[in-house]
């Protein structure tokens, strides 16, 4: 077992090294200041942030995990396998409003898929300054693509050796400090140290910085420490050994050289080297920076600096006094731990704005434990590698300067009371005064994101899916159930995370039952239980699905009308602050309104589907010499019903075949389709010529004035001779497959679509349908694809028809229904079908042999 654990550990180290190399390289490739890699996880459909360079990880906890089906740029890049470029916030809002709602700051970004197994391993992400020009024109994007390809090659090699599980990321991301700006050649020196042999190798710049010839340079780690800083040599040697053990210092070591000049030492175990135990390091003479620190020490206002990973690097005496903590408790710690009064809403958004938009940010904060409870005014000034923050009592600032009012502290909040929400939520450790980005961030981001997402959800199932994907991660929940009210009973509409069959006894429960889901709805008040023991005491005898955890029962009420109940379940005990209770109650109102709208939509959709099914032919008119087959598939977007139709009608001693497409979807389109179908049938039964059929139907549609138009293709077939007379009104050209398998597009002259020009004319074309040939009529939903030319779709359909086999019904051939199924197979299995699909096939049977 130990050997297996060590093997898995080495695989994880290799994976981390590949990700770190790609992330740090991506910063320069696209001119970015933040980079990271999202990888697929062991949970289907879930991406996790694996590495993050240039940002404090906990501050961006809500974006640690993303569903691949959400409308986010990372998800699109992963799912579609294409690079997504957002040059600025305007483009972000236009294309990804939910993403922009969570990070409403001015920055650009690039998302490059990491090629591998389908669809991809993950996405290499870079955030960069916003630019008015398109980022696609930057030549460094080619470098970014090569980095993604190199990462993909490394991951494929790892999969080949260790299996797919080796590249599935679970847990928190690895957060890395961005590479420090390169000092001048004479002010920085590099070295490596081997902890096994203690041998030190240095470059010429380190020799020059320490003022010694290469032959005089010390050969061991202990001698190096003394040469750099005699007074602090023990600290340097300790840091070397800790770095070799995988625990590098949180911040550069500040030491004094032999002449008393300040020096900075930074060291790390470099990933991807042949010997991972080697320690690399730099020695920096900060030069003027030290003088700047000295000048800041004399300033009357508080000043501190933090790097892009959130670590406090400098604090002057005035800041130490305002914070009420010694400098040793500030330096080298994350700012939200060093100064917990700067964490949580709304301050987390200020930090995010400074880190992402890189513009000055001003705000006020009040904390009873700081500066005798006085309100403090903060100004954040981002630089390339540091954020400089000034802190002064608000009473001393210029009253002409406009600053936002400080947020009042929540007297009822319970810092630290929110328990570990679990790995599935991706929220990490408990939220509290020192931990930004946990469940306490929900009031800032999730209400906006949930509201935007709900605007795109039109069915009850879509609303429930949005709630699961947006609400559960925000508060760390693992279970969700939504009950809807119908005839004074609650029926289960959606569930996830509960034990199989547990909720079945509560499906259809009446409003007189004494259970929390019912009482929350009937009283209109949400119910919160911090533990299952509390729930059991309040409702003795109630069946419970777990021994531990917390539950929230939210009434869904829209405009004063009860809609249902939403139940949130947590795997651990936790408290609910006043702020969280308020937000959850407000979110329940959003869900209720969306669900009420969805129920009305579902009712209208059911009506439209019923209307459409009633209007489509149950069976097609038959003839001994002609075989026909039709298929109809509704679109998967919007109402799921539309105006496509087909029909076969007896016309004298022949058959009339028609296919059409009414513009739009929904009840109106279906109703118009029904009127047109009835008109065409009436003209066909009278055996009117094709041009008169289309002209008469055109005038009828104009007289009805439904505000819609339609395309149509109408033909009359003589089964005995095979003569076809055909007319077309703005409809796609038919296809003809000859008995030998050759398929061509019929170039049929046509007129404008129906419903536009009352004087329109529709020329008639004659052709012969040979026995065993197949004539195909179709609507554009079968051949159109977003971003592709319709001619390419028609060519693909023609190729598929050509490959459909020998003559239907003949030895070795397919039936005509089989051909129809094959031509619509791709569309039938597509989950994202934007338009309806209709197909009508016809073939003539050979004339029976004499005496047959």
């Amino acid at each position: 077992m130990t050997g297996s654990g060590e093997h898995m550990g080495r695989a994880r180290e290799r994976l981390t090294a590949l990700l770190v190399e790609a992330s740090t390289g991506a910063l320069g490739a696209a001119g970015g200041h933040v980079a990271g890699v999202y990888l697929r996880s062991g949970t289907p459909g879930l991406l996790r942030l694996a590495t993050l360079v240039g940002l404090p990880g906990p501050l961006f906890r809500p974006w640690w995990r993303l569903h691949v089906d959400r409308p986010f740029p990372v998800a699109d890049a992963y799912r579609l396998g294409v690079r997504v470029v957002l040059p600025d916030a305007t483009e972000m809002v236009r294309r990804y409003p939910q993403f922009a709602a969570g990070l409403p700051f001015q920055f650009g970004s690039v998302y490059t898929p990491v090629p591998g197994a389908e669809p991809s391993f993950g996405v290499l992400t870079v955030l960069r300054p916003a630019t008015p020009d398109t980022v696609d024109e930057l030549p460094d994007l080619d470098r970014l693509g090569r980095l993604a390809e190199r990462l993909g090659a490394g991951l494929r090699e790892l999969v080949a050796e260790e299996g797919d599980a080796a590249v599935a990321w679970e847990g928190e991301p690895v957060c890395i400090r961005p590479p420090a700006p390169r000092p001048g050649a004479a002010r920085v020196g590099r070295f490596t140290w081997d902890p096994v042999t203690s041998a030190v190798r240095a470059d010429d710049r380190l020799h020059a910085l320490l003022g010694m010839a290469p032959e005089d340079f010390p050969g061991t780690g202990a001698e190096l420490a003394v040469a750099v800083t005699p007074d602090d040599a023990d600290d340097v040697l300790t840091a070397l050994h800790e770095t070799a053990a995988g625990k590098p210092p949180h911040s550069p070591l500040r030491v004094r050289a032999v002449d008393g000049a300040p020096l900075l030492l930074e060291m790390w175990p470099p990933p991807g080297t042949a010997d991972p135990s080697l320690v690399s390091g730099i020695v920096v003479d900060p030069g003027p920076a030290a003088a700047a620190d000295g000048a800041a020490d004399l300033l009357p206002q508080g000043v501190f600096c933090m790097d892009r990973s959130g670590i406090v690097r400098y604090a002057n005496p005035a800041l130490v006094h305002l914070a009420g903590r010694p400098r040793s408790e500030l330096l080298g710690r994350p700012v939200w731990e060093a100064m917990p009064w700067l964490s949580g809403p709304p301050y987390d958004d200020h930090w995010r704005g400074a880190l992402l938009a890189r513009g000055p940010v001003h705000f006020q904060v009040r904390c009873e434990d700081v500066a005798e409870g006085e309100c403090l005014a903060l100004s954040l000034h981002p630089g390339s590698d540091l954020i400089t923050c000034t802190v002064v009592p608000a009473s001393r600032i210029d009253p002409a300067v406009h600053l936002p009012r400080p947020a009042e502290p929540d007297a009822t909040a319970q810092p630290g009371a929110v328990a570990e929400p679990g790995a599935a939520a991706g929220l990490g450790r408990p939220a509290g005064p020192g931990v930004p980005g946990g469940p306490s961030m929900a009031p800032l981001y999730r209400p906006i994101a949930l509201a935007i997402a709900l605007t795109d959800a039109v069915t009850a199932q879509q609303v429930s899916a949005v709630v699961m994907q947006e609400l559960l991660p925000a508060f760390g929940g693992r279970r969700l159930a939504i009950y809807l009210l119908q005839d004074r009973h609650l029926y289960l509409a959606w569930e996830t995370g509960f034990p199989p069959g547990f909720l079945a006894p509560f499906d259809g429960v009446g409003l007189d039952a004494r259970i929390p889901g019912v009482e929350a709805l009937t009283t209109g008040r949400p119910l919160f239980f911090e533990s299952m023991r509390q729930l059991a005491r309040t409702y003795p005898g109630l069946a419970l699905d777990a021994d531990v955890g917390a539950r929230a029962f939210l009434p869904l009420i829209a405009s004063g009308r009860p809609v249902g109940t939403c139940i949130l379940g947590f795997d651990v005990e936790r408290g609910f602050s006043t702020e969280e209770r308020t937000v959850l109650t407000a979110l329940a109102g959003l869900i209720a309104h969306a669900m009420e709208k969805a129920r009305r939509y579902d009712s209208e959709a059911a009506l439209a589907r019923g209307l459409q099914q009633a209007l489509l032919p149950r069976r097609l008119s038959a003839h001994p010499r002609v075989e026909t087959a039709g298929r109809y598939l509704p679109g998967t977007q919007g109402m799921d019903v539309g105006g496509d139709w087909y029909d076969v009608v007896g016309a004298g001693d022949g058959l009339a075949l028609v296919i059409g497409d009414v513009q739009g979807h929904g009840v109106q389109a279906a109703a118009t389709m029904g009127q047109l179908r009835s008109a065409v049938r009436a003209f066909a039964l009278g055996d009117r010529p094709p041009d008169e059929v289309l002209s008469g139907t055109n005038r009828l549609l104009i007289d009805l004035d439904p505000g819609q138009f339609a395309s149509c293709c109408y033909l009359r077939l003589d089964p005995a001779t095979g003569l076809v007379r055909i007319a077309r009104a703005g409809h796609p050209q038919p296809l003809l497959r000859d008995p030998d398998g050759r398929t061509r597009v019929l170039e049929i002259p046509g007129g404008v679509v129906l419903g536009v020009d009352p004087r329109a004319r529709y020329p008639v074309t004659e052709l012969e349908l040979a026995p065993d040939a197949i004539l195909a009529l179709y609507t554009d939903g079968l051949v159109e694809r977003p971003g592709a030319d319709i001619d390419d779709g028609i060519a693909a359909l023609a190729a598929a028809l050509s490959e459909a086999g020998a003559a239907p019904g003949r030895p070795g051939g397919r039936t005509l229904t089989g051909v129809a199924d094959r031509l619509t197979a791709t569309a039938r299995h597509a989950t994202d079908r934007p338009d309806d699909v209709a197909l009508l096939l016809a073939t003539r049977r050979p004339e029976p042999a004499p005496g047959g």
Side-chain angles (χ1 to χ4, degrees), residues 100-116:
L103 294 171
F105 311 112
Q106 186 62 244
F107 65 93
S109 51
V110 185
Y111 308 85
T112 302
V114 178

Side-chain angles (χ1 to χ4, degrees), residues 495-550:
E495 67 166 307
T496 182
F498 285 93
F502 173 76
L503 296 176
F506 303 100
D507 191 15
V509 67
L511 293 186
D512 55 348
R514 188 178 182 275
I515 58 176
V518 170
E519 294 195 352
L521 181 61
T522 55
T523 63
R525 295 191 302 270
L527 301 177
F528 298 92
F529 299 94
E530 300 180 0
S531 69
M532 300 303 285
R533 297 186 305 276
Q534 183 184 10
L535 178 58
R537 286 195 302 268
T538 307
Y539 294 91
L542 180 69
L544 303 179
D545 60 304
D547 296 329
V548 296

